[in-house]
């Protein structure tokens, strides 16, 4: 029911996380237009992925726990997507005088 | 206690349409209700327990039946959706020639003002047969402007303009309610809508107000010191207003935006949010200093000197709302970026 | 050591969960799911009476068009407190926390829930939240509507919003923890042989309910927290004067509160599935569809919340998406209704009290659900939004549906819970009274709504008078209908005849243990070899 | 170090009465924690979606506000928290091996780094106070988009405040693990309290991984409103 990872893995993951932190801070000072946000989020997701995969041992979980983890993310996407479907379409194709 | 109406009067072009849809749904609902009740009743009698030891034969189910009673209701429901969405869309698309009336909700009354200057409280006079567009604002909490006889209702949300439109079809007096809970006297925020023959309406309009909304707006314009900067025609430190309303404004950050009600409102309350190209951000904010009523008058004034027909499709495009939250604050952005994908007309994000 | 429980085991045992220990402390510190269920039963009933009292005052005020019984401020607090108490403190915990708590572990063949201490903590959180809310009532009440819409709730209302918000916030965590407990229990505590496809339908529906509780309630918590922060520190989150958007609050609120209506109705579905089968001695028609529909409702339920916001500044397109999806949610509900009806076909139906409630439920839920279709239709909702049509819609589902199912479930499992039988004649009579009173109260409200009577009105125009009188008359009858079970159930607790282990010849592990069950439920984990609803088998063979 | 299922210092079995065996108990505890984390994700999700709505509405104001964040403190804190996550992972690993001494050491290190994080956080808050950037209470920023700028600070305080609250709860749970380790409770069979608390602690770390760029970094390259 359990999997013990070698310490080395943890140290490597830690190193990767630190490097990514440095990168994300560094990149923030370059003006990439809208890509600043994209890069920042991409790195954040990468880091999150590392934590979940190695520190939280998601790979060695039962399918059920994986399902809950994924489910929570899906629900988060529902929350965001449908809310944003309102805010980002409020301007669409409304007649000239506004309504 | 001797009145017992069971159905509301139909007094706008929308009433009959909403009622027809209502009858359609009622027919579907009645069909299923009756069908289920009959089954329940018949089974209840036929299969009542006679012998306590009798064990009925189990029936596991039937995929064909399950599919039927999923697909058929869904089909009927999709008609409701399509029909309802169409009515809704129509309701939010005022005709071009609609006559505009301004409405302000506050705890706990409705104030209305006609462009020609007449003001009313908890009353609204409109002519029969002419599309009327209400532009609505609130000074405090959310209210909701509701005329049951017209089958229309629209929330009035602070911080933005909302609007709705209708064409009354029958002269008479109809109830006007506030439908969104707004505090102590929510139930007292009611009034009457009076629909008149066009001739009577003209008479009614001509009696009363001494100055039009645009005229009062013009006075306010100097009163609030706007005139110290802005003039109608000479460009100087400030943009002139001739032709502004309804045009597309070029902003310093490259966006182009349609100057509609919400844009004008924002330009006054939060001028720094969108700076017109070629000008400095020197305009002071008037947030909290101008009442909603005066704002509407200023708007009427700026409209009166600025209205210019807007070509229907001019590459007007959309983007995420910036600076304003509401629906009217629909400051739409136009694509200036030549290499932007233009198929949908949306600027790249 | 696994034995199939012997039929003799179902006979009376001298020591059961009720008399195993004595004293107040043995109740307040218990971790036994059955005792915690009793704690919930008592508190939920108390809150129902409080909420019902408010309802009675509302109806009395509306007996005349003028607002002459109470001041408008008081009236506003009445319906607010009525809504808050009924929803958060009565209906949401009712079936899951009372019946679910009692029955789930036994149905699954377990000794207790997976986390008994957490279960007790849930009850305490619920009580703390409830007492804070009651404190708010006594201190003068809260008058924002149960929906807490901003900016009224954050900037304008001078009632006790903070205390109530904290109360609801805390109760939310009770709900989350209960849901979590049930899900884990369902996954890990099932008796050997009790596969998912053999699981009772009550379990399926509570499982689906718990998913909603776990995934939806935190968003309510955060929405309420933001309201509290905005109100306390006067910062701008939803306040338009400070750059916020009041409609964002509505998004967050309904992201929880629409799924929450399924928290209130799914457990009812589960109860009805049990009742229909056991009182017609017939396995459900289309087990897989009925079970799957519960989960489908839990999932779809999260996709439709914007249908409460058609008249706001919500974009037309988002509105269309939400409307479109709202119709899909009708399908799993339809599947349930049709399958229940089909189950009766060629059954052997007996009309004891629980079954009367079950049939009443179907009849009223159908009307309540179908009127939801009017509301999901955008063009019509523009007219009936925030009118009594909506009030009638949700009372049909929540009172005509869920409350009836709750009463049906209480009557059904009462012999198990109390070990006593109640007088069935009185039971059937009061079920009838409830049904009549209910229809008289809420049917006229549909007409009122389409006529245009707005909800949350303290006084109303004269032309709505007659229908309101009907409604108030109905509410009084309804009150009597609720009062009767209160009396005879309490009576039976003390004086009723002893109940056998399985008074209804029903199926399900809970009927295999004595009434009332011993503290550990089963002497050893039972082995399940059959699906739950095998009426043709002799009882002894079932386990 | 204890090997047997039923062993602990006090002679009572770690197996709780409602479970049949430790495997079942482990399973229940792990999925319980994952479910709880699902709840937590949606709890923060409500905040994130509000943030998203306002940021996409007021991009400039948010960038402007973000320039007032202390990027250095934020970066250091990120590193500190990741470090504490590493210690946590090592503590869990030690528990899996039944090495109670190591569990104690790593748990203490985790708690130490967690505390450092909170101290830096408080220090940051204090600076916001002296710079008069606390919304509602003393917000002295007087630029053009005052309210919109203030909005990001509201989110800053609510989000980091909620995060800090979770850290406090985490510290409490770690204390519990410390006590268990001192009692030599962990063994190769019975280690899941550490594992479950570890999941929680890593989750808190995860939240911060998103908060950091979203709050601190969006203004780093921003030069103020463009006025050509
Ligand atoms: C338990 C509670 C519960 C349940 C289960 C439901 C179920 C449904 N509700 Fe309801 N609703 C509420 C409680 C509930 N509601 C509350 C409390 C409010 C008001 C909140 C407030 O503002 O205070 C509300 C408000 C509300 C609104 C907003 C109204 C407004 O404010 O303007 C809408 C709009 O779409 C709606 C729709 C629906 C729909 C489509 C369903 C569907 O799930 C119903 C599905 C069921 C059926 C359809 C019946 C069975 C099917 C058949 C017999 C087959 C035939 C079917 C077809 C032809 C499709 N509800
Ligand atoms: C579970 C939910 C639930 C339940 C069970 C009920 C039950 C009832 N409700 Fe409720 N109602 C809501 C949920 C519920 N309601 C909600 C959410 C709202 C919206 C609130 C808002 O707008 O914010 C609402 C609003 C609402 C209104 C609209 C108010 C308005 O908009 O102005 C009305 C009006 O008739 C009403 C009536 C009733 C009646 C007559 C009952 C009856 O079924 C109640 C019958 C019960 C009794 C009559 C009590 C019996 C008790 C005794 C006899 C004992 C006496 C008491 C003591 C000894 C302490 N309700
Ligand atoms: Cu204004 Cu209700
Ligand atoms: Cu809903």
């Amino acid at each position: 029911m359990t999997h013990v990872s070698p310490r080395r893995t943890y140290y490597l993951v830690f190193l990767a996380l630190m490097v990514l932190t440095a990168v994300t801070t560094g990149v923030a000072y370059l003006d990439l237009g809208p890509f600043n946000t994209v890069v920042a989020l991409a790195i954040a997701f990468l880091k999150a992925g590392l934590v979940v995969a190695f520190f939280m041992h998601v790979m060695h979980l039962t399918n059920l726990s994986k399902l809950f983890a994924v489910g929570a993310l899906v629900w988060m996407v529902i929350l965001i997507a449908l809310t944003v479907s309102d805010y980002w379409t409020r301007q669409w194709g409304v007649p000239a005088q506004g309504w | 206690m001797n009145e017992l109406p069971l159905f509301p009067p139909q007094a706008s072009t929308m009433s009959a349409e909403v009622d027809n849809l209502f009858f359609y749904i009622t027919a579907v609902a009645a069909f299923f209700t009756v069908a289920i009740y009959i089954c329940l009743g018949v089974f209840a009698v036929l299969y009542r327990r006679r012998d306590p030891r009798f064990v009925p034969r189990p029936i596991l189910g039937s995929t064909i039946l399950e599919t039927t009673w999923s697909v058929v209701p869904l089909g009927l429901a999709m008609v409701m959706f399509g029909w309802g969405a169409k009515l809704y869309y129509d309701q939010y698309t005022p005709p071009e020639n609609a006559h505009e009336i301004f409405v302000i909700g506050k705890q706990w009354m409705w104030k209305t003002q006609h462009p020609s200057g007449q003001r009313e409280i908890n009353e609204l006079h409109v002519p029969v047969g002419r599309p009327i567009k209400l532009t609505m604002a609130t000074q405090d909490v959310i209210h909701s402007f509701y005329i049951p006889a017209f089958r229309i209702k629209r929330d009035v949300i602070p911080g933005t303009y909302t609007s709705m439109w209708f064409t009354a079809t029958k002269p008479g007096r109809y109830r006007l309610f506030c439908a969104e809970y707004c505090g102590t006297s929510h139930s007292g925020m009611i009034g009457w809508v009076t629909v008149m023959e066009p001739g009577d309406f003209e008479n009614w309009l001509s009696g009363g107000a001494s100055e039009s909304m645009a005229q009062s707006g013009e006075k306010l314009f100097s009163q609030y010191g706007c005139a110290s900067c802005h003039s109608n025609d000479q460009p100087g430190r400030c943009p002139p207003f001739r032709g502004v309303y309804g045009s597309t404004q070029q902003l310093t950050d490259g966006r182009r935006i349609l100057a509609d009600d919400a844009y004008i409102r924002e330009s006054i309350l939060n001028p720094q949010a969108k700076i017109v190209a070629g000008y400095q951000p020197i305009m002071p904010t008037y947030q909290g200093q101008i009442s909603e009523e005066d704002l509407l008058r200023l708007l009427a004034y700026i409209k009166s000197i600025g209205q210019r027909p807007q070509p229907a499709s001019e590459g007007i495009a959309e983007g995420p709302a910036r600076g304003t939250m509401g629906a009217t604050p629909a400051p739409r952005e136009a694509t200036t970026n030549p290499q932007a994908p233009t198929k949908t007309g949306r600027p790249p994000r | 050591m696994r034995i199939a429980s012997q039929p003799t085991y179902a006979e009376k045992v001298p020591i059961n969960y009720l008399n195993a220990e004595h004293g107040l402390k043995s109740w307040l510190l218990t971790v036994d799911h059955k005792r915690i269920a009793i704690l919930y039963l008592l508190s939920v009933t108390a809150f129902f009476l409080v909420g019902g009292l408010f309802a009675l005052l509302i109806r009395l005020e509306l007996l005349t068009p003028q607002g002459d019984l109470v001041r408008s401020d008081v009236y506003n607090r009445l319906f607010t407190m009525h809504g808050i108490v009924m929803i958060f403190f009565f209906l949401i915990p009712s079936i899951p926390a009372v019946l679910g708590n009692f029955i789930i572990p036994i149905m699954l063949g377990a000794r207790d829930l997976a986390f008994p201490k957490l279960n007790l903590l849930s009850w305490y959180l619920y009580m703390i939240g409830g007492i804070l809310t009651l404190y708010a009532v006594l201190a003068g009440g809260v008058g924002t509507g149960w929906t807490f819409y901003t900016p009224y709730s954050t900037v304008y209302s001078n009632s006790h919003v903070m205390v109530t918000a904290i109360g609801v916030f805390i109760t939310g965590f009770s709900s989350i923890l209960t849901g979590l407990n049930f899900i884990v229990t369902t996954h890990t505590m099932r008796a050997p042989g009790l596969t998912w496809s053999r699981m009772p339908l009550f379990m399926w529906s509570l499982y689906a309910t718990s998913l909603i509780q776990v995934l939806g309630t935190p968003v309510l918590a955060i929405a309420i927290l933001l309201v509290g922060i905005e109100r306390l520190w006067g910062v701008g989150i939803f306040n338009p004067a400070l750059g916020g958007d009041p409609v964002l609050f509505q998004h967050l609120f309904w992201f929880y509160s629409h799924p929450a209506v399924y928290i209130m109705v799914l457990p009812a579905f589960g109860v009805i599935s049990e009742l229909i089968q056991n009182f017609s001695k017939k396995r459900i028609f289309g087990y897989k569809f009925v079970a799957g529909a519960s989960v489908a409702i839990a999932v779809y339920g999260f996709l439709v919340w914007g249908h409460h916001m058609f008249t706001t500044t919500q974009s037309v397109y988002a509105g269309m998406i939400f409307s479109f999806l709202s119709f899909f949610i009708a399908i799993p509900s339809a599947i349930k209704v049709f399958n229940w009806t089909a189950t009766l076909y060629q059954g052997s139906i007996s009309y004891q009290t629980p079954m009367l409630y079950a049939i009443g439920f179907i009849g009223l839920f159908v009307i309540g659900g179908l009127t939801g279709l009017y509301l999901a239709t955008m063009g019509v909702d523009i007219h009936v939004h925030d009118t009594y049509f909506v009030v009638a819609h949700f009372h049909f589902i929540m009172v005509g549906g869920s409350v009836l199912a709750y009463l049906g479930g209480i009557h059904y499992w009462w012999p198990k819970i109390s070990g006593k039988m109640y007088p069935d004649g009185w039971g059937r009579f009061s079920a009838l009274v409830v049904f009549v009173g209910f229809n008289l109260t809420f049917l006229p409200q549909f007409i009122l709504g389409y006529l245009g009577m707005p909800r949350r009105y303290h006084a109303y125009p004269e032309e709505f008078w007659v229908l309101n009188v009907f409604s108030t008359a109905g509410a009084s009858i309804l009150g009597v209908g609720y009062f009767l079970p209160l009396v005879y159930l309490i009576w039976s607790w003390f004086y009723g005849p002893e109940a056998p282990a399985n008074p209804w010849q029903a199926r399900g592990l809970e009927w295999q243990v004595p009434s009332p069950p011993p503290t550990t439920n089963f002497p050893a984990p039972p082995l399940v070899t059959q699906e739950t609803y095998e009426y043709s088998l002799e009882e002894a063979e079932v386990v | 170090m204890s090997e047997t299922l039923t062993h602990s210092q006090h002679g009572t079995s770690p197996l709780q009465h409602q479970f049949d065996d430790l495997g079942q108990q482990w399973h229940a505890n792990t999925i319980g924690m994952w479910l709880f984390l699902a709840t937590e994700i949606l709890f923060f999700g409500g905040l994130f979606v509000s943030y998203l709505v306002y940021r996409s509405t007021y991009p400039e104001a948010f960038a402007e506000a973000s320039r007032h964040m202390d990027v250095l403190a934020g970066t250091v804190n990120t590193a500190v928290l990741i470090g504490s996550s590493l210690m946590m992972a090592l503590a869990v690993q030690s528990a899996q091996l039944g090495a109670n001494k190591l569990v104690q050491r790593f748990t203490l290190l985790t708690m130490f780094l967690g505390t450092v994080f909170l101290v830096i956080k408080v220090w940051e808050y204090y600076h916001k106070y002296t710079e008069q950037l606390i919304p509602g209470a003393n917000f002295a920023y007087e630029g053009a988009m005052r309210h919109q700028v203030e909005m990001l600070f509201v989110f800053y305080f609510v989000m980091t405040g909620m995060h800090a609250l979770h850290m406090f709860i985490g510290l409490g749970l770690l204390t519990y693990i410390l006590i268990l380790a001192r009692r030599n409770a962990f063994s190769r069979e019975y280690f899941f309290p550490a594992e479950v608390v570890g999941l929680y602690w890593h989750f808190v770390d995860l939240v911060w991984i998103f908060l950091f760029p979203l709050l601190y970094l969006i203004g780093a390259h921003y030069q103020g409103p463009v006025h050509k």
Side-chain angles (χ1 to χ4, degrees), chain C residues 118-133:
Chain C
L118 200 67
N119 196 15
L120 184 65
L121 177 67
S122 296
W123 183 73
Y124 275 103
L125 288 175
Y126 166 76
M127 286 310 283
I128 293 171
I131 286 168
L132 281 175
T133 307

Side-chain angles (χ1 to χ4, degrees), chain C residues 111 113-116 176 180 183-184 188-189 214-215 218-219 222 225 229 233 235-237 241-245 248 252, chain D residues 17-20 24 27-29 31-32 35-36 39 42-43 46-47 49-50 53-54 58 135-136 147 151 154 158 162:
Chain C
R111 283 186 287 275
L113 289 171
F115 308 117
I176 291 175
L180 191 151
I183 294 180
V184 176
T188 59
M189 312 286 282
V214 166
L215 293 168
V219 179
I222 201 72
L225 189 78
I229 288 172
W233 283 290
V235 297
I237 299 171
L242 301 177
D245 179 17
L248 180 62
L252 294 180
Chain D
H17 80 278
Q18 71 274 24
F19 296 112
D20 292 336
Q24 193 188 24
H27 193 206
N29 276 279
I31 64 174
L35 267 177
F36 185 72
T39 289
L42 279 139
F43 185 81
L47 284 174
V49 76
S50 312
V53 164
Y54 289 126
Y58 309 123
H147 296 315
M151 184 98 79
V154 175
V158 175
M162 276 299 127

Side-chain angles (χ1 to χ4, degrees), chain C residues 457-477:
Chain C
Y457 261 30
H458 165 237
Y460 54 86
E462 294 241 337
E463 65 257 32
F464 302 139
W465 194 355
V466 180
L467 291 166
N468 269 293
V469 171
F470 283 140
S471 188
T472 301
S476 336
I477 301 178

Side-chain angles (χ1 to χ4, degrees), chain A residues 64 67-68 71-73 75-76 78-94 99, chain C residues 183 187 207 215 219 245 247-248 251-252 255 298-299 302-303 305 309 313-318 321-322 325:
Chain A
L64 189 60
L67 187 70
F68 290 151
L73 282 184
W75 252 250
M76 175 101 167
I78 293 177
L79 171 61
I80 290 175
L82 282 175
T83 308
V84 159
S85 84
D86 171 12
Y87 284 92
W88 289 0
T89 63
R90 283 187 184 186
Q91 290 76 26
W92 286 13
V94 187
W99 36 271
Chain C
I183 294 180
H187 276 289
Y207 182 80
L215 293 168
V219 179
D245 179 17
V247 176
L248 180 62
H251 274 295
L252 294 180
F255 177 84
V299 174
F302 278 94
L303 306 177
W305 77 79
M309 300 159 60
T313 49
Q314 176 173 256
S315 114
V316 183
Y317 302 96
I321 297 175
F322 283 123
L325 293 169

